[in-house]
Amino acid sequence: MRKLTILGATGSIGASTLKVIENNPDQFRIVALAAGQNVEKMAQLCLKWQPRYAVMATERAANELRNTLQTTNVKTEVLSGVEAMCLVSSFDEIDTVMAAIVGAAGLMPTMAAVKAGKRVLLANKEALVMSGQLFVDAVKESGAELLPVDSEHNAIFQCLPHEVQTNLGHCDLDHYGIHNILLTGSGGPFRYSDLAELKNVTPEQAIAHPNWSMGPKISVDSATMMNKGLEYIEAKWLFNASREQLKVVIHPQSVIHSMVQYRDGSTLAQLGEPDMATPIALTLSYPERIQAGVKPLDFTQIGELTFLAPDYNRYPCLKLAIDACYEGQHATTALNAANEIAVEAFLNRKLPFTEIAAVNSWVTSKICAMNAQLSCDSLESILEVDRMARALAMEFIGRHQA
């Protein structure tokens, strides 16, 4: 029986993880749940799953949860803050950590799980975007087992030889005859919209993804294709891929989740319903397969599958991410931080949709200009670059609002 900590328990990935566990109750036990500030949802989860620990992002939210649980028979111990999240990610009692806290907030507890040698189910792409080399080196040093949860990276993982699957971050694609990795993306809700109209896009329109049910931040990232850009950076680190080996293809139907092309002309693809329970089930049970609660594809009902090259005029954030990927760790850390601030401003109606890319570009160029004075050789130095980039993003947004 696998013993789990779920980081990001109240989010969409957390919900899908619990769905899979519910389908396989004899194989998993939840030891700890961690989340942001959604006390009501966490209280419901504690009542149902009765974990030993529940961790909230702030002490205020933790106090609310304690007060809510006092009237029940639940014996869950409530903790708060990043240190507590790191603690429940590295306990001897657990062997598996679902790392699904969105954004930079998930970096420290995910790294704690890696350093403790756990099976890490990586749904937090920022961990690799912000600390790629440090992260993959820590995985190798600790003997942690790294399994990608993102549907695209999980699809690539499934199409690779076992020897590559068990050496993520340090594998040699060329040695195993791999020519290209094709990272697919739907193109979001505006792939056919008039470019001139994009400046008028509302938050409601941006979060209405045509295929996937996701949180607001990741849905906006999908609309700008920054999500694909972050996935590109993540794929570079996971699969040790060169720029020539990694390509993005727009696939509006989201049926093929990604592909791997081999030297002999073969292309292997992973297909399935757009349901995160499928990749989550594989990472929970690898190398076995368990019931995910997802129906198999009915190929008679799919219709046509189409593919497009990405248009960087429509998706400038994607181009920014690809360029930053090979600029260096400071560039990808800055880009991720700027994007988090820009998307939050857009969702709060303080920034037009098309200005998200402008913020990202300006902040990344500023940080890159300072590269000689910056170090990204430790978590502390990476978090300092992250802090600087956020301050610059807020400065840019504030100046343009004035």
Side-chain angles (χ1 to χ4, degrees), residues 1-303:
M1 177 176 282
R2 288 207 161 266
K3 295 167 186 167
L4 276 83
T5 286
I6 301 177
L7 302 172
T10 58
S12 60
I13 296 293
S16 293
T17 304
L18 293 167
K19 169 186 167 184
V20 173
I21 292 170
E22 206 160 11
N23 280 315
N24 303 273
D26 298 334
Q27 298 189 43
F28 305 100
R29 181 162 73 82
I30 295 167
V31 176
L33 298 173
Q37 299 188 58
N38 191 336
V39 174
E40 183 181 353
K41 182 72 180 288
M42 182 62 101
Q44 292 169 3
L45 295 180
C46 288
L47 283 167
K48 179 170 182 177
W49 296 98
Q50 310 224 353
R52 185 175 164 193
Y53 299 96
V55 186
M56 304 303 292
T58 65
E59 182 57 24
R60 180 179 174 182
N63 277 329
E64 280 187 47
L65 182 61
R66 286 187 196 103
N67 293 335
T68 302
L69 294 180
Q70 267 181 355
T71 59
T72 72
N73 292 321
V74 174
K75 305 299 183 192
T76 299
E77 184 177 346
V78 180
L79 307 170
S80 69
V82 174
E83 280 189 25
M85 290 188 185
C86 291
L87 185 67
V88 299
S89 300
S90 54
F91 273 147
D92 288 343
E93 187 179 341
I94 63 145
D95 50 49
T96 304
V97 175
M98 168 57 76
I101 294 175
V102 174
L107 174 58
M108 296 293 281
T110 304
M111 188 65 92
V114 166
K115 289 182 175 179
K118 306 302 182 186
R119 170 177 282 199
V120 179
L121 317 183
L122 190 64
N124 169 280
K125 56 179 62 66
E126 289 79 9
L128 279 170
V129 170
M130 291 176 67
S131 67
Q133 193 67 58
L134 274 175
F135 193 91
V136 296
D137 287 350
V139 168
K140 188 157 193 170
E141 185 179 340
S142 69
E145 193 178 7
L146 184 60
L147 295 167
V149 171
D150 265 355
S151 59
E152 295 82 359
H153 302 102
N154 191 272
I156 294 161
F157 177 86
Q158 292 192 53
C159 296
L160 292 170
H162 176 75
E163 294 80 2
V164 175
Q165 292 177 342
T166 52
N167 193 29
L168 294 186
H170 295 89
C171 47
D172 183 346
L173 297 181
D174 191 58
H175 177 76
Y176 290 99
I178 295 155
H179 182 57
N180 284 318
I181 287 172
L182 301 180
L183 194 64
T184 62
S186 70
F190 310 125
R191 59 180 171 261
Y192 302 123
S193 301
D194 188 325
L195 289 178
E197 294 300 313
L198 293 181
K199 65 180 183 292
N200 300 317
V201 163
T202 66
E204 291 77 13
Q205 290 170 321
I207 64 175
H209 194 280
N211 302 340
W212 296 91
S213 174
M214 306 180 291
K217 196 269 180 181
I218 195 171
S219 296
V220 174
D221 283 349
S222 181
T224 64
M225 280 199 81
M226 175 56 86
N227 195 44
K228 203 55 49 184
L230 297 177
E231 287 172 8
Y232 183 101
I233 298 165
E234 189 181 2
K236 184 258 189 191
W237 290 112
L238 279 172
F239 308 115
N240 197 24
S242 68
R243 190 164 190 155
E244 294 71 32
Q245 290 172 321
L246 195 50
K247 303 183 186 307
V248 175
V249 177
I250 293 179
H251 169 48
Q253 294 82 14
S254 296
V255 172
I256 296 175
H257 299 307
S258 276
M259 298 173 272
V260 175
Q261 294 183 315
Y262 285 81
R263 190 182 296 138
D264 62 4
S266 301
T267 299
L268 302 188
Q270 189 268 335
L271 291 74
E273 292 285 344
D275 190 321
M276 287 304 299
T278 296
I280 289 167
L282 179 75
T283 59
L284 282 169
S285 63
Y286 179 83
E288 307 301 326
R289 290 184 185 266
I290 57 174
Q291 179 59 249
V294 180
K295 64 180 181 179
L297 283 175
D298 180 348
F299 284 91
T300 65
Q301 300 300 311
I302 288 174

